[in-house]
Amino acid sequence: SDVTQSGYLTKLSLFEQFAADLHLPLDSGENIDMAMVDYLDQIFLDGADMDDATRLYASWCWRNPSFGRNGHIRLSRVSRALQGWKKLSPTTIRAPMPWIFAARIASQMVLDGDLVGAVALITMFLCYLRPGEAMRLKEADLVRPTRQCSFLAINLHPSSRGESSKLLLSDES
């Protein structure tokens, strides 16, 4: 989106200005890795949130796909710095959307004729699913009630389809 792109460009501009001010070259993967770690150290000491650090990394990979998940250049020092940051300063948790807002949005979706979207929204809200997880759900992922469990359940990331979560877990319910 335009908002995300604008945020990425801002993060990149701040990093590049930092590198320019300190005469840090950004001409190779190794130099970029070292300069970005220096910048991450600085913003950590300035009290920035880990979100700022991960957005910088994401913005760099967005603009330079060869550094991304599928790219061939790795920023190993940056990855280790982010892991250390996470251990020293756990991320802040956003408050969830209140039920009344989710219900109101779903109601409007029904009025607009999007019953499937409304059901998906309510399912995501109640089961705390990411949109991608909800989009991959199949009828076979519904676990019917049994004598031991009297309610319907959802099997997320079924191993039978070779799926796994961001944490590489399968068959979550």
Side-chain angles (χ1 to χ4, degrees), residues 3-137:
V3 173
T4 301
Q5 186 173 350
S6 174
Y8 279 2
L9 292 172
T10 300
K11 297 285 183 212
L12 288 170
S13 176
L14 291 169
F15 166 61
E16 290 167 343
Q17 186 61 53
F18 171 86
D21 290 347
L22 295 178
H23 307 290
L24 300 173
L26 300 177
D27 57 353
S28 70
E30 177 134 352
N31 287 339
I32 292 162
D33 198 19
M34 289 190 293
M36 196 174 294
V37 167
D38 288 346
Y39 181 71
L40 292 176
D41 285 344
Q42 183 62 52
I43 66 172
F44 179 82
L45 294 173
D46 289 343
D49 291 329
M50 183 172 177
D51 186 57
D52 293 319
T54 55
R55 283 184 192 266
L56 169 63
Y57 183 62
S59 63
W60 186 267
C61 295
W62 165 74
R63 192 175 69 187
N64 304 285
S66 58
F67 288 87
R69 184 180 305 166
N70 299 321
H72 63 281
I73 303 172
R74 300 282 177 244
L75 298 175
S76 57
R77 290 177 186 91
V78 170
S79 295
R80 286 193 305 273
L82 292 174
Q83 288 173 352
W85 190 322
K86 186 174 184 177
K87 288 179 184 177
L88 290 173
S89 176
T91 56
T92 56
I93 298 172
R94 278 185 249 146
M97 175 188 299
W99 163 249
I100 190 118
F101 293 161
R104 177 63 182 103
I105 292 168
S107 296
Q108 187 61 49
M109 292 171 83
V110 169
L111 292 174
D112 292 344
D114 187 7
L115 181 62
V116 172
V119 169
L121 177 80
I122 295 300
T123 302
M124 285 187 287
F125 185 88
L126 293 175
C127 299
Y128 206 63
L129 299 177
R130 292 179 174 90
E133 291 172 326
M135 299 301 289
R136 285 189 297 274
L137 286 177

